[in-house]
Amino acid sequence: MGVVSLADAINLARAKGVDLVEIAPNATPPVCRLVDFGKFRYEQAKKDKEAKKHHHANKVKEVQLSPTIDPHDFGVKLDHAIEFLCEEMKVKISLRFRGREMAHKEFGFQTIEKFIKAVAPYGHPDSAAKLIGKGITVMLSPLPRNKRGKNPRQDGEAPSNQKNHADEGPPADGPRAKRPSPAQQPAEGDNPGFANNPFTELNVKVNE
């Protein structure tokens, strides 16, 4: 829409029932956009989420196990792997033998198979588990979203190794935060927020 004064840009936004959002403050003159601010924030958050998803797709997280891992520790490792897979990350499962454990490699493979079976609703192995040196490794990839189980944390469920305190809620007699009432809209033609404001003489470039 070209270069207009700040006061004219504000009046133009009011006339169209939208907000005047500054999108390039360092430009000369600054660039603003006539848009619904709520919709603008939603679209921006959606773009950020997509960018984050593609960024996570290139990440690999490692989870280390042992042939004699404790059941509680096994649950902790499992929760971490599920969280990583639900965030579109690959997970490398590593199991290392120590000392005489090498004489009973079957226990290590059993632990790996148990872990793969437990994480099956969220990811699948790229290939069969392999014995490399003194350890077993296998790479897990996340299942497609439409075939993958829901993230237990996002569903409000507690991880298997933690107690869920979310249902306890605040105390009955505790203080409650009050939501502030929306600001009163100025009358048509009024501009109280910019009375005596030195920036009213500035010009801005407006994009619709």
Side-chain angles (χ1 to χ4, degrees), residues 44-62:
Q44 191 66 35
K46 192 174 181 180
K47 290 179 181 179
D48 294 342
K49 185 177 180 180
E50 288 295 324
K52 184 178 180 181
K53 182 179 70 172
H54 292 300
H55 179 67
H56 281 174
N58 299 324
K59 282 189 175 182
V60 177
K61 293 290 187 176
E62 184 175 4

Side-chain angles (χ1 to χ4, degrees), residues 35-154:
V35 65
D36 182 274
F37 187 60
K39 183 178 180 181
F40 176 79
R41 290 186 61 185
Y42 171 78
E43 293 176 348
Q44 191 66 35
K46 192 174 181 180
K47 290 179 181 179
D48 294 342
K49 185 177 180 180
E50 288 295 324
K52 184 178 180 181
K53 182 179 70 172
H54 292 300
H55 179 67
H56 281 174
N58 299 324
K59 282 189 175 182
V60 177
K61 293 290 187 176
E62 184 175 4
V63 174
Q64 296 183 352
L65 305 175
S66 68
T68 57
I69 188 170
D70 180 81
H72 176 268
D73 294 338
F74 185 90
V76 173
K77 303 288 187 179
L78 181 62
D79 289 335
H80 290 169
I82 291 174
E83 185 72 16
F84 297 145
L85 291 170
C86 289
E87 292 182 1
E88 306 293 339
M89 299 182 190
K90 283 179 170 287
V91 179
K92 179 182 179 181
I93 308 301
S94 300
L95 185 146
R96 186 170 181 81
F97 296 104
R98 296 181 181 179
R100 297 181 179 180
E101 292 176 349
M102 282 293 293
H104 300 280
K105 295 186 285 292
E106 66 275 10
F107 294 149
F109 278 100
Q110 289 174 6
T111 301
I112 289 289
E113 291 299 326
K114 179 181 177 182
F115 196 92
I116 293 175
K117 185 176 180 180
V119 82
Y122 307 93
H124 63 90
D126 293 346
S127 60
K130 296 180 180 179
L131 177 65
I132 302 177
K134 292 185 178 182
I136 303 173
T137 60
V138 61
M139 185 70 71
L140 302 178
S141 295
L143 291 173
R145 285 182 177 271
N146 59 343
K147 296 182 180 180
R148 187 171 64 215
K150 294 183 179 180
N151 189 340
R153 294 180 184 271
Q154 292 181 354

